[in-house]
Amino acid sequence: MEPGDTARPGPWRAVRALPPRLLLLPLLPLLLGRGLRAGAAASSAGAAAEDSSAMEELATEKEAEESHRQDSVSLLTFILLLTLTILTIWLFKHRRVRFLHETGLAMIYGLIVGVILRYGTPATSGRDKSLSCTQEDRAFSTLLVNVSGKFFEYTLKGEISPGKVNSVEQNDMLRKVTFDPEVFFNILLPPIIFHAGYSLKKRHFFRNLGSILAYAFLGTAVSCFIIGNLMYGVVKLMKIVGQLSDKFYYTDCLFFGAIISATDPVTVLAIFNELHADVDLYALLFGESVLNDAVAIVLSSSIVAYQPAGLNTHAFDAAAFFKSVGIFLGIFSGSFTMGAVTGVVTALVTKFTKLHCFPLLETALFFLMSWSTFLLAEACGFTGVVAVLFCGITQAHYTYNNLSVESRSRTKQLFEVLHFLAENFIFSYMGLALFTFQKHVFSPVFIIGAFVAIFLGRAAHIYPLSFFLNLGRRHKIGWNFQHMMMFSGLRGAMAFALAIRDTASYARQMMFTTTLLIVFFTVWIIGGGTTPMLSWLNIRVGVDPDQDPPPNNDSFQVLQGDGPDSVGGNRTKQESAWIFRLWYSFDHNYLKPTLTHSGPPLTTTLPAWCGLLARCLTSPQVYDNQEPLREEDSDFILTEGDLTLTYGDSTVTANGSSGSHTASTSLEGGRRTKSSSEEVLERDLGMGDQKVSSRGTPLVFPLQENA
Amino acid sequence: MEPGDTARPGPWRAVRALPPRLLLLPLLPLLLGRGLRAGAAASSAGAAAEDSSAMEELATEKEAEESHRQDSVSLLTFILLLTLTILTIWLFKHRRVRFLHETGLAMIYGLIVGVILRYGTPATSGRDKSLSCTQEDRAFSTLLVNVSGKFFEYTLKGEISPGKVNSVEQNDMLRKVTFDPEVFFNILLPPIIFHAGYSLKKRHFFRNLGSILAYAFLGTAVSCFIIGNLMYGVVKLMKIVGQLSDKFYYTDCLFFGAIISATDPVTVLAIFNELHADVDLYALLFGESVLNDAVAIVLSSSIVAYQPAGLNTHAFDAAAFFKSVGIFLGIFSGSFTMGAVTGVVTALVTKFTKLHCFPLLETALFFLMSWSTFLLAEACGFTGVVAVLFCGITQAHYTYNNLSVESRSRTKQLFEVLHFLAENFIFSYMGLALFTFQKHVFSPVFIIGAFVAIFLGRAAHIYPLSFFLNLGRRHKIGWNFQHMMMFSGLRGAMAFALAIRDTASYARQMMFTTTLLIVFFTVWIIGGGTTPMLSWLNIRVGVDPDQDPPPNNDSFQVLQGDGPDSVGGNRTKQESAWIFRLWYSFDHNYLKPTLTHSGPPLTTTLPAWCGLLARCLTSPQVYDNQEPLREEDSDFILTEGDLTLTYGDSTVTANGSSGSHTASTSLEGGRRTKSSSEEVLERDLGMGDQKVSSRGTPLVFPLQENA
């Protein structure tokens, strides 16, 4: 902050401005050579042409050129891998092979290339020169180096553990194919996560929101805690047996629990999608996996922030624990707010401009706004990935309705392609990393322990939670659903990205290796076993995921053990708790009309004194779209009966239209409408008797009945 | 190469592997903080928790956090800029404002933000610490620094000119918004250039290929040479007047000529597109600008490679000159081949797999293959941007035909969005750079000289070339077309990217500043003047660019001074020289059937002894599509009459179908078919008399006649 300081004449100077770890460049490390070559050559031709420096430059130039070629070759390797994967996926899809998913395939190809790179390429260690220099007390993010009167700027790439210093230059190619871990977190994950949010099947998601939130928050926390404790036991055991060669603290174990609790059932969901398996199970699995990624990220940073006072104790400290919890809540809610706010802003912009006449502009705006969420969250110290998830959900819920038809498909397709490429890149990188990563610590005891722990952690997460959820749910989560959820505890991109983020210490390296093996195992074995498991557990397939099952062979009824002609068919609207129903009506009456062109006009829902505001915010289209509700609105779990509870004076209209909705049941799914009084009565009666009768009832599935 | 070397125990060690200039991160420099924060905290929690190092880490962590926030804020600035630009563009389009193009707008917004950043933010110079160290004789790409027993890896970011060392940390924000120049070249230009190639209107491009190639190659070389020499005069003058404070060589002047010869009439073309101006003029302008970008890149690197023997002389050296020419040809043809090869491979893959059933896979493959062109060219030492251009043209010509309908729109839209974002980013960055770039050298004499030189260079490029081209063209390039081409010599993204690539020396800094001003001036003034100019020059507007003008008010005939009912209507097929016609028939008979599902079956075009091969390569669809030719084929300039010249035995069929083509003239455009004998006769007669009669004929345009 003192300007006088800047004039200090030392040959080595440290500048604060630049971030300490410059990336080995995301997907595009290519960037280097050609320009440099031309640039260096240019300066040698154009500048003062000092003979001695020209020779140096020539050497540097050649080096740069060589390095740039290697960069390009390493990226080409990945492109080749992805291309191969794509072609093989096509072949598999063409032949309807389902035992291996594209991500599993990408890993296999990565593994093969990794073996080739590891054992097939010569260990070319680079020319090595030493610079002697006095030691300093800390590392700077940027160095200015005075070399024969010329100043060069260096940026800190990261710390290298002392034992690895000599092996750094072992094999150029292996180094080249090793990306900076932050690439995964900041470039590859955001499109994957955004796509997850944006492609969420809202209707089924919101119908099961309570359960999904419970699985994601409570479940992940339970799983993290149980795995962490089990692993601490394993580590203690290892210490006794003498298998542990370095420190491994309790917080490390908890951290492992957090990163390995991020499930990613991409394989299972792909098969569900393909076979059109039960929509509610799909929603539960998908919703849980999407949200628990966010929870796992925030959880892991909270555990990292858990630093007991005194620094050298790793015992439990209540203050630090509550600080961690506070950090968790702060980061999570902050990121959530960021994502929601940018989504809402985008919705408002797309609503009040006629941007939809120019789909290119609209798509570009959508892309930029979604990306700015990430930056905004990062700039405010929150988690960009989490913010992007909620931005995606908000965009899908509001902005999507305002987009032109072309932009809808454009944005979907754009993020679909980005998601596809990023996901397969991560998985092929995982395959590669098994052989090319230089800091593996294979510990058989730890690995076996981890497999047992994640199995137990998943079980302790699914079964008890499902039991408690079933107490409150009309539409029970059946045993077969629970088994399927237990089975679908795959680990994927998020666990990997969290594990590779920091591999400096011995404990972290062991975790990384273990995580990698867990991902391999779960993706290959569970991915291959999904189809047999589905039929073994009698899970309904062949359902159109965009629609509810037709009411006459409704899975809810079957789950509850009732006949198809019983009165249980319209329990759907009762599923969500009052807090969610409150939210729904608020959303439907105020948010949707404000942010989109659909929903009831604000002039009818807002109190009279807001008349002017309401007229300004209500778009003319709303009056046209008012009744019947637009297709986007049908994603709501709300029936018109519920609406009557909130704005009573328009009851008649809402009820009047409900008749026509009942007629189109096959499209609107299992929602049938009742008069509001009947409904209130039903709710007041509670769900007690239904619950009791359904527990333990043998589950019979329509699929089986038909077969 | 000596493994023993690696064990040297000096605290500072240089590793060769990493490229010397790590990028300040393309579009995503965000990447840094959060992870680091977590990582650093993690290691302090998990690792040995040495109290002293923990304090250091905390400091580094805070620094990293702060820096990361600034990164995010600077990127947010750009996103805000682009968002503003998009919204204003929409407003302009909505109100049909044409005097300011989106790129000009992006520059204005950039300029405003630049002024704010420059004069509105405090010059916060960072804390500065010096490291004392012995000097070394050259810079290394990677440094290993031993700081209190810990090793840190640093990568070279670039050289800093000695005068700027103290100002490096002047203003963090200004530094943050300054991207590595290679970002432009390697991340932002490729999508722009690929999109240019991919969206080429093939029919009009190929019809004018000869002229386009002449303008692009000869014209750019002439322009470069003339501007270079004029500027050398200006520089000499400046030396006499005492305005020159550092060295400025002849090669520098030539280099300036090369970079400023890259025209980018984006504004003009946008207005042409909107007003549906004359398709041939559009093709000439667009084709020239696309190809001369490629020429300018290769030309500038050839000039840079022009290094006369002895190094300290900058006089003319024949050997070095021919070496430069050789390099030009080598790089150009190499890049061309790379692009064409990957395009052909993609076409083959998409043809022989049934990938079109899965548009997502197809799009991903297309994207990856197109991107691999860039990497492949860079890995082989060619120019990625040039390769990408020819890859785009090849993809549009062959692969596009094999894609599914969905993939066609997906790929087009994907590259459209990328192109849009990249282009507007570059232009807003240009606006910003005028105030935030720290090394400007404003020299009024040089700037005025440059404006005069580019005007004269453009004139010396357009008018003489047009004269010579008109000698060989049936369809003359009229005076108004020539004036319009002269007028449309805008400079844009490519000139900027080439100029910012190296700003190390005084001469280069002066060039950069001048280029920036030329881009501003041409984009704003010429962009605003396009519509008046069009009407002043009587250029036909309102033509559907996808079709030829209807034959009865054919612009060709008007150009030649004939009446609409004269025999001049079918000159089109005569326009291209025999070499192109040879290529066309080769392409149509062999390449198209091999690479796509269209064209005549190879079994009819290949000699009998290739029968097996022909049957393998011919897809079953070809037999269905054989006659009439598919719509994609109609992009060909070839009429069926021409085909009869190459494969005589199928004359009857071709002629038989030509009748139906004549019937659909409005779609097929100005091509009418004659019997082959008549055509050969016409060609043999040459074009002499037509030429003479057309020269000096007053040009009357249908537009005017109708008006």
Side-chain angles (χ1 to χ4, degrees), chain A residues 547-570:
Chain A
Q547 290 172 16
D548 270 335
N552 55 342
N553 58 352
D554 198 336
S555 66
F556 311 144
Q557 295 159 24
V558 176
L559 276 168
Q560 290 164 5
D562 296 336
D565 49 350
S566 82
V567 289
N570 54 356

Side-chain angles (χ1 to χ4, degrees), chain A residues 281-522:
Chain A
L281 181 56
Y282 184 92
L284 284 176
L285 266 178
F286 184 71
E288 187 220 340
S289 76
V290 163
L291 287 180
N292 84 1
D293 282 354
V295 174
I297 297 177
V298 184
L299 207 57
S300 60
S301 15
S302 311
I303 289 171
V304 155
Y306 172 84
Q307 240 165 344
L311 276 166
N312 44 9
T313 161
H314 280 261
F316 184 79
D317 179 325
F321 175 76
F322 284 114
K323 194 185 145 212
S324 275
V325 171
I327 288 174
F328 176 87
L329 293 177
I331 293 183
F332 201 92
S333 56
S335 309
F336 172 82
T337 311
M338 287 289 154
V341 163
T342 44
V344 163
V345 169
T346 317
L348 285 175
V349 168
T350 47
K351 183 186 175 186
F352 289 107
T353 62
K354 278 184 183 125
L355 215 56
H356 54 82
C357 305
F358 306 98
L360 175 61
L361 297 183
E362 208 177 30
T363 309
L365 186 90
F366 186 91
F367 180 80
L368 288 176
M369 293 298 288
S370 304
W371 187 27
S372 72
T373 307
F374 183 87
L375 295 175
L376 207 62
E378 295 285 320
C380 299
F382 299 118
T383 308
V385 176
V386 176
V388 151
L389 167 66
F390 292 107
C391 177
I393 296 176
T394 319
Q395 301 279 40
H397 197 55
Y398 301 115
T399 314
Y400 188 76
N401 294 334
N402 301 336
L403 297 180
S404 63
V405 177
E406 205 189 322
S407 289
R408 287 183 196 185
S409 73
R410 273 185 183 223
T411 50
K412 282 220 157 183
Q413 289 171 358
L414 179 69
F415 286 105
E416 202 184 343
V417 170
L418 290 180
H419 155 88
F420 177 84
L421 290 176
E423 192 173 79
N424 284 291
F425 182 86
I426 290 192
F427 277 90
S428 65
Y429 186 83
M430 277 191 236
L432 205 73
L434 192 63
F435 284 93
T436 61
F437 189 73
Q438 314 235 353
K439 308 178 201 162
H440 278 303
V441 177
F442 283 95
S443 160
V445 180
F446 192 83
I447 292 166
I448 294 168
F451 271 98
V452 174
I454 62 163
F455 182 81
L456 295 178
R458 183 85 187 156
H461 156 191
I462 294 293
Y463 295 115
L465 250 178
S466 304
F467 172 77
F468 286 112
L469 285 172
N470 276 344
L471 293 181
R473 276 175 76 102
R474 281 265 163 131
H475 160 211
K476 305 295 175 214
I477 299 164
W479 280 109
N480 59 342
F481 278 28
Q482 293 181 29
H483 293 320
M484 195 66 215
M485 289 189 75
M486 171 74 209
F487 177 77
S488 308
L490 286 86
R491 269 64 174 179
M494 183 57 77
F496 170 78
L498 283 168
I500 204 178
R501 210 168 184 181
D502 178 16
T503 50
S505 70
Y506 170 80
R508 291 296 161 87
Q509 289 163 11
M510 195 188 280
M511 284 181 209
F512 174 69
T513 307
T514 310
T515 306
L516 210 54
L517 290 175
I518 289 175
V519 173
F520 284 163
F521 177 82
T522 54

Side-chain angles (χ1 to χ4, degrees), chain A residues 12 14 23 25 31-32 45 68 129 131 133 136-137 140 151 153-155 157-158 160 186 314 371 378 501, chain B residues 12 14 21 23 25 27 31 35 45 56 68 129 131 133 136 140 151 153-155 157-158 160 314 378:
Chain A
W12 289 89
L23 301 181
L25 252 202
L31 307 214
L32 308 141
H68 174 61
K129 303 240 174 150
L131 291 172
C133 178
E136 267 296 315
D137 59 339
F140 297 101
F151 286 91
E153 195 177 355
Y154 283 82
T155 32
K157 232 198 93 209
I160 293 170
N186 293 296
H314 280 261
W371 187 27
E378 295 285 320
R501 210 168 184 181
Chain B
W12 290 87
R21 245 195 250 184
L23 301 181
L25 252 204
L27 283 168
L31 307 214
E56 278 165 32
H68 174 63
K129 303 240 175 152
L131 291 173
C133 178
E136 266 297 316
F140 297 101
F151 287 92
E153 195 175 355
Y154 283 81
T155 32
K157 231 200 94 208
I160 293 170
H314 279 261
E378 295 285 319

Side-chain angles (χ1 to χ4, degrees), chain B residues 31-64:
Chain B
L31 307 214
L32 309 140
R34 260 221 64 75
L36 281 175
R37 234 158 30 188
S43 55
S44 66
E50 297 146 22
D51 275 28
S52 62
S53 81
M55 293 308 288
E56 278 165 32
E57 264 167 28
L58 223 69
T60 316
E61 195 185 320
K62 264 199 163 171
E63 210 170 272

Side-chain angles (χ1 to χ4, degrees), chain B residues 261-308:
Chain B
S261 293
T263 59
D264 179 17
V266 50
T267 316
V268 173
L269 292 176
I271 291 172
F272 271 39
N273 240 335
E274 209 174 321
L275 298 177
H276 300 301
D278 189 279
V279 283
D280 281 288
L281 181 56
Y282 184 91
L284 283 176
L285 266 178
F286 184 69
E288 187 219 341
S289 76
V290 163
L291 287 180
N292 84 1
D293 282 354
V295 174
I297 297 178
V298 184
L299 207 57
S300 60
S301 17
S302 310
I303 290 170
V304 155
Y306 171 85
Q307 240 166 344

Side-chain angles (χ1 to χ4, degrees), chain B residues 377-544:
Chain B
E378 295 285 319
C380 299
F382 299 118
T383 308
V385 176
V386 176
V388 152
L389 168 66
F390 292 107
C391 176
I393 296 176
T394 319
Q395 301 279 39
H397 197 56
Y398 300 114
T399 313
Y400 188 75
N401 295 335
N402 301 337
L403 296 181
S404 63
V405 177
E406 205 190 322
S407 289
R408 287 183 195 186
S409 72
R410 272 185 183 224
T411 52
K412 283 221 156 184
Q413 289 172 355
L414 179 68
F415 285 106
E416 203 183 343
V417 171
L418 290 180
H419 155 89
F420 177 85
L421 290 176
E423 193 173 77
N424 283 292
F425 182 85
I426 290 192
F427 277 89
S428 64
Y429 186 83
M430 277 191 235
L432 205 74
L434 192 64
F435 283 94
T436 60
F437 189 72
Q438 315 237 351
K439 306 178 201 163
H440 278 303
V441 177
F442 284 96
S443 161
V445 180
F446 192 83
I447 291 165
I448 294 168
F451 270 98
V452 174
I454 62 162
F455 182 82
L456 294 177
R458 183 82 188 160
H461 156 190
I462 294 294
Y463 295 116
L465 250 178
S466 304
F467 172 78
F468 285 112
L469 285 172
N470 276 343
L471 294 180
R473 276 175 76 103
R474 281 267 162 129
H475 160 211
K476 303 297 176 213
I477 299 163
W479 280 109
N480 60 343
F481 278 29
Q482 293 180 28
H483 293 320
M484 194 67 216
M485 289 188 76
M486 171 72 208
F487 177 78
S488 309
L490 287 86
R491 269 62 175 182
M494 182 58 77
F496 170 79
L498 283 169
I500 204 177
R501 209 169 187 181
D502 178 17
T503 50
S505 71
Y506 170 79
R508 291 297 161 86
Q509 288 163 12
M510 194 187 282
M511 282 182 212
F512 174 69
T513 308
T514 310
T515 306
L516 211 53
L517 290 175
I518 289 175
V519 173
F520 284 163
F521 177 82
T522 53
V523 167
W524 284 333
I525 305 297
I526 298 182
T530 306
T531 321
M533 202 61 161
L534 271 176
S535 64
W536 192 62
L537 288 175
N538 289 327
I539 306 228
R540 223 157 51 99
V541 293
V543 188
D544 185 343

